[in-house]
């Protein structure tokens, strides 16, 4: 929880604060939230790795009901030069990029090999579609169950409405918040204990947009579910569109993850990590602020 | 300060270690006997949930405008066994589909006899386990009609499809369906693709169509159909050639 609960127990400061500052520790994330956060993190890591393994079985994406094999909008492929050297080629629309070493062609046991994503990004590492699917569907269930638990818990405890949905004051301050983020200026004091407006928007978008979307698009790829989800498949333009959007949501998670880790680091990695492991988050206030 | 630094270093190392163990660990776990079984248990859940949600719902049928210019063949595309070559050389005039196992009336049906049964034509999508989709128009007889002729006994639980095409390991392709899929109205034994005699790369003379499952369930080059109580004693025991290689028997997802 971002806001300071009324029952927060002030923990004695671990170190002597400088004269003008006051350091106090608040209980920021409840135990259920911390557990669900880490289950979610493990699920996303495995779903991403196994998803890329599945993608590698046919490393091309299309729009529409079926595959227009000559017109993927994204493909990871390879070309071979006259000397026999393999080059990884990533195509996005009509653009071509040489991505040798990472996409299209990467080393497997020291040998340049034609494969979409490299072994370090896939679960399992070697090409093994059946096993990738086994990992993916097992952790998809845990991801969904965990997500449903989070949603119910967040509704029940009002975490959703109190901590995640931006307040009117938040919306008014959005310009300032964008500027502050760009300048890497972060809130201090009591303001640091609550989620700021960009944080709230990011969490809501990633939970309900990427999270809900990636599950729905996964279901829309299932030939069995398509017998009852035809409307959803048609809504996005077809099964191959659903596969593309599923992939894009996964990329959305990566983008979120990178920004998330960046913000965790620049706003105090130790404090942040402790708060998501033990729940306790330290706030440092200058005396000035406390008198405001 | 020292304590905090130590704690930070510990947290950082713990995080890096967790990441490495997670990724490397997944490979190690994949090689064990037990982990794939645990992971595979999710398929039973998917099967139960999807069956409950979709029951006998029909797969989407498309219009002629949606048909793929080429129905991409996958897996075997030209069986080499002498038995199959001889049948193919004669335009499959001597072909007989055997239906046996746990049935009251074993059958041996020629293509002409199959064609004389009520036909069904459907334009459906074919989803490969690799991720791609093609759309084609299929004509054939509903499997349920053939099963009704053969009359499965009360102990029969699965329909096993044996094929002419030999795989890399020398065994012949096979597949199996439960009765829910076997009796689904869109489950066909098809002899025509896009209004023409089924080409050899797509499974001539007769192949299975199960549009609510992935491509590997739709056995090509059908030799015979057996009704069984269990497929545990057939080949690798997992109910199909790809299932024996670790793919899920339920391929609706």
């Amino acid at each position: 929880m971002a806001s300071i609960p009324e029952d927060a127990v002030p923990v004695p400061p671990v170190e002597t604060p400088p004269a003008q500052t006051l350091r106090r520790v608040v209980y920021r994330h409840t135990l259920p939230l911390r557990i669900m956060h880490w289950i979610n993190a493990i699920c996303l890591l495995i779903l991403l790795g196994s998803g890329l393994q599945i993608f590698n079985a046919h490393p091309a994406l299309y729009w529409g009901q079926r595959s227009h094999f000559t017109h993927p909008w994204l493909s990871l492929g390879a070309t071979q030069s006259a000397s026999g050297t393999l080059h990884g080629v990533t195509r996005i629309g009509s653009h071509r990029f040489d991505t040798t070493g990472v996409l299209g062609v990467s080393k497997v046991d020291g040998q340049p090999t034609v494969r979409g994503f490299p072994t370090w990004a896939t679960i399992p590492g070697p090409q093994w579609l059946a096993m990738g699917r086994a990992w993916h569907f097992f952790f998809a269930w845990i991801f969904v169950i965990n997500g449903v638990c989070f949603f119910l818990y967040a509704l029940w405890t009002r975490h959703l409405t109190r901590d995640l949905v931006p307040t009117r004051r938040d919306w008014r301050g959005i310009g300032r918040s964008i500027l502050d983020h760009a300048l890497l200026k972060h809130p201090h004091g009591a303001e640091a204990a609550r989620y700021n407006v960009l944080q709230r928007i990011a969490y809501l978008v990633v939970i309900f947009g990427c999270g809900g979307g990636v599950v729905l698009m996964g279901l829309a790829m299932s030939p069995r579910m398509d017998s009852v989800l035809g409307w959803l498949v048609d809504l996005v333009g077809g099964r191959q569109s659903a596969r593309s959007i599923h992939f894009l949501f996964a990329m959305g998670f990566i983008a979120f993850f990178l920004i998330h880790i960046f913000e965790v680091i620049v706003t105090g990695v130790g404090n942040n990590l402790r708060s998501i492991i033990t729940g306790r988050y330290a706030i440092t206030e200058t005396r000035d602020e406390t008198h405001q | 300060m020292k304590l905090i630094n130590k704690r930070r270093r510990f947290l950082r190392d713990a995080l890096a270690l967790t990441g490495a163990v997670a990724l490397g660990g997944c490979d190690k776990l994949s090689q064990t006997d037990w982990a794939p079984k645990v992971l595979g248990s999710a398929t039973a859940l998917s099967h139960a949930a999807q069956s409950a949600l979709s029951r006998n719902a029909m797969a989407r049928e498309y219009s002629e405008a949606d048909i793929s210019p080429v129905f991409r063949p996958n897996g075997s595309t030209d069986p080499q066994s002498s038995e199959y070559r001889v049948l193919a050389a004669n335009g499959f005039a001597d072909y007989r589909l055997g239906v046996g196992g746990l049935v009251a009336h074993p059958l041996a049906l020629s293509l002409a006899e199959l064609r004389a049964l009520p036909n069904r034509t459907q334009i459906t999508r074919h989803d490969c386990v690799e991720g791609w989709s093609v759309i084609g128009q299929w004509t054939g007889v509903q499997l349920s009609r053939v099963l009704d002729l053969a009359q499965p006994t009360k102990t029969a639980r699965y329909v096993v499809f044996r094929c002419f095409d030999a795989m890399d390991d020398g065994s012949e392709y096979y597949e199996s369906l439960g009765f829910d899929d076997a009796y689904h109205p869109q489950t066909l034994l098809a002899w025509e693709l896009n209004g023409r005699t089924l080409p050899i790369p797509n499974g001539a003379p007769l192949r299975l169509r199960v549009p609510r499952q992935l491509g590997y369930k739709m056995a090509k080059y059908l030799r015979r159909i057996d009704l069984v109580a269990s497929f545990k004693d057939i080949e690798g025991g997992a109910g199909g050639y790809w299932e024996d290689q670790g793919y899920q028997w339920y391929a609706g997802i």
Side-chain angles (χ1 to χ4, degrees):
Chain A
M1 269 180 275
S3 58
I4 308 159
E6 278 160 26
D7 58 347
V9 184
V11 178
V14 235
E15 53 188 310
T16 321
Q20 307 92 329
T21 62
L22 186 69
R23 189 175 186 276
R24 64 194 170 93
V25 174
V26 295
Y27 188 59
R28 191 181 205 196
H29 305 291
T30 62
L31 181 65
L33 281 180
R34 279 158 19 226
I35 292 172
M36 288 187 283
H37 170 272
W38 288 111
I39 290 176
N40 194 53
I42 292 165
C43 285
L44 280 177
L45 183 74
I46 292 176
L47 284 168
L48 182 68
S50 56
L52 296 180
Q53 165 72 242
I54 296 169
F55 175 90
N56 274 2
H58 185 74
L61 295 170
Y62 314 88
W63 292 112
Q65 298 283 3
R66 59 179 175 85
S67 301
H68 300 257
F69 293 108
T70 49
H71 294 94
W73 68 266
L74 172 79
S75 73
L76 310 181
T79 56
Q80 198 161 19
S81 65
S83 60
T85 318
L86 285 169
H87 291 279
V89 181
T90 298
R91 288 187 182 83
I92 301 175
S94 53
H95 302 280
R96 286 169 57 107
F97 306 93
D98 188 319
T99 49
T100 309
V102 185
L103 304 177
V105 171
S106 52
K107 285 191 175 171
V108 179
D109 297 326
Q111 285 298 314
T113 307
V114 179
R115 54 179 283 146
F117 285 92
T119 52
W120 55 258
T122 65
I123 294 174
Q127 189 62 37
W128 194 355
L129 175 59
M131 193 56 74
R133 284 168 56 83
W135 282 98
H136 203 71
F137 299 143
F138 184 86
F139 280 91
W141 271 105
I142 298 181
F143 176 71
V144 168
I145 293 167
N146 191 55
V148 169
C149 288
F150 167 81
F151 181 67
L152 295 178
Y153 180 84
L155 270 184
W156 181 254
T157 60
R158 301 185 54 219
H159 174 53
L160 185 68
T161 46
R162 190 180 49 200
D163 303 326
L164 292 174
V165 175
T167 63
R168 232 177 268 170
R169 190 177 68 109
D170 279 334
W171 285 115
R172 278 199 296 272
I174 193 166
R176 180 60 190 269
S177 186
I178 292 171
L179 193 66
D180 285 349
H181 275 81
L183 298 172
L184 302 186
K185 272 171 64 182
H186 292 96
H188 294 283
E191 275 299 297
R194 67 189 294 279
Y195 293 154
N196 63 64
V197 61
L198 292 193
Q199 211 174 356
R200 288 169 185 241
I201 295 170
Y203 291 156
L204 287 178
V205 165
V206 84
I207 292 166
F208 294 101
C210 287
V214 83
V215 170
L216 281 180
M217 290 302 98
L219 286 172
M221 272 191 276
S222 149
R224 177 70 183 249
M225 289 313 291
D226 283 1
S227 61
V228 285
L229 289 180
W231 58 272
L232 179 65
V233 183
D234 285 347
L235 186 71
V236 297
R239 192 222 181 206
Q240 288 301 314
S241 303
R243 182 167 174 261
S244 291
I245 299 169
H246 187 73
F247 179 88
L248 290 173
F249 277 133
M251 296 302 110
F253 274 116
I254 293 182
F256 171 81
F257 178 75
L258 293 177
I259 297 168
H260 185 57
I261 296 299
F262 176 79
E263 292 291 338
V264 162
I265 291 169
V266 299
T267 59
V269 66
N271 198 21
N272 282 319
L273 272 178
R274 185 185 51 215
S275 79
I276 198 67
I277 294 169
T278 69
R280 289 181 307 175
Y281 185 75
I283 291 170
T284 315
E285 281 167 312
T286 63
R287 199 159 279 173
D288 248 16
E289 276 177 7
T290 57
H291 287 294
Q292 267 173 1
Chain B
M1 275 317 254
K2 261 188 187 165
L3 181 69
I4 287 197
N5 275 339
K6 264 187 195 164
R7 232 195 287 172
R8 279 183 189 170
R9 205 176 307 142
F10 168 75
L11 284 171
R12 191 194 58 203
D13 290 353
L15 203 68
L17 194 70
T18 311
V21 166
L23 288 171
C26 289
D27 277 12
K28 288 244 165 61
L29 287 172
S30 300
Q31 303 285 355
T32 64
D33 282 336
W34 61 271
K37 279 184 193 149
V38 173
L39 295 173
S41 63
T43 305
L45 193 56
S46 303
H47 188 186
Q50 296 201 341
S51 297
L53 289 170
S54 62
R55 296 176 183 278
N56 251 338
M58 299 286 271
R60 164 83 183 269
E61 296 195 15
Y62 294 86
S63 72
E64 282 184 23
D66 299 316
I67 292 175
S68 296
V70 176
F71 197 94
R72 175 187 276 221
N74 206 15
S76 312
T77 50
D78 194 13
Q80 291 304 313
S81 76
S82 56
E83 190 187 6
Y84 183 81
R85 305 295 336 159
V86 167
L87 286 170
N90 197 16
F92 299 103
D94 299 322
Y95 172 80
R96 296 290 182 275
L97 173 74
V99 182
L102 301 174
V103 295
H105 302 292
L107 306 168
L109 299 165
S110 69
L111 286 173
E113 287 168 318
L114 285 163
R115 284 170 187 272
L117 293 168
N119 293 181
R120 190 178 204 279
T121 295
Q122 60 195 27
I123 301 175
T124 49
R125 203 184 64 217
H126 176 106
D127 299 325
C128 179
V129 67
E130 295 169 1
W132 47 268
S133 309
V134 286
I135 293 173
Q137 176 188 286
W138 298 93
T139 300
V141 59
Q142 289 167 324
L143 176 60
S144 62
R145 294 191 184 270
V146 174
L147 294 178
D148 287 345
L149 289 178
Q151 293 185 15
T153 63
K154 277 188 180 139
T155 48
R157 288 284 173 278
Y158 300 96
V159 188
V160 177
F161 303 86
R162 312 300 296 242
C163 307
F164 284 109
D165 50 326
M167 304 305 288
D168 288 343
D169 62 1
S171 70
E172 281 170 349
Y173 200 87
Y174 78 105
E175 255 304 337
S176 59
L177 290 180
F179 275 14
D180 52 345
D181 276 307
Y183 281 93
H184 188 269
Q186 287 169 313
T187 299
L188 305 185
L189 301 175
W191 53 75
E192 227 175 78
L193 168 60
N194 295 338
R196 304 164 87 156
T197 305
L198 186 59
I200 285 183
N202 298 107
L206 196 66
R207 78 170 295 177
L208 182 62
R209 299 303 308 166
V210 192
R212 298 195 306 169
Q213 295 216 40
L214 296 174
Y216 65 85
K217 294 301 282 189
M218 304 190 221
K220 304 196 279 190
Y221 316 110
L222 293 179
R223 174 207 293 278
R224 58 174 294 109
I225 295 174
D226 288 315
L227 282 106
V228 298
S230 158
F231 47 71
K232 293 278 179 286
D233 297 326
I234 299 171
E235 303 289 343
Y241 173 79
W242 287 113
E243 286 85 335
D244 288 339
Q245 326 290 319
Y247 284 84
Q248 293 86 357
W249 180 76
Y250 174 67
I253 189 167

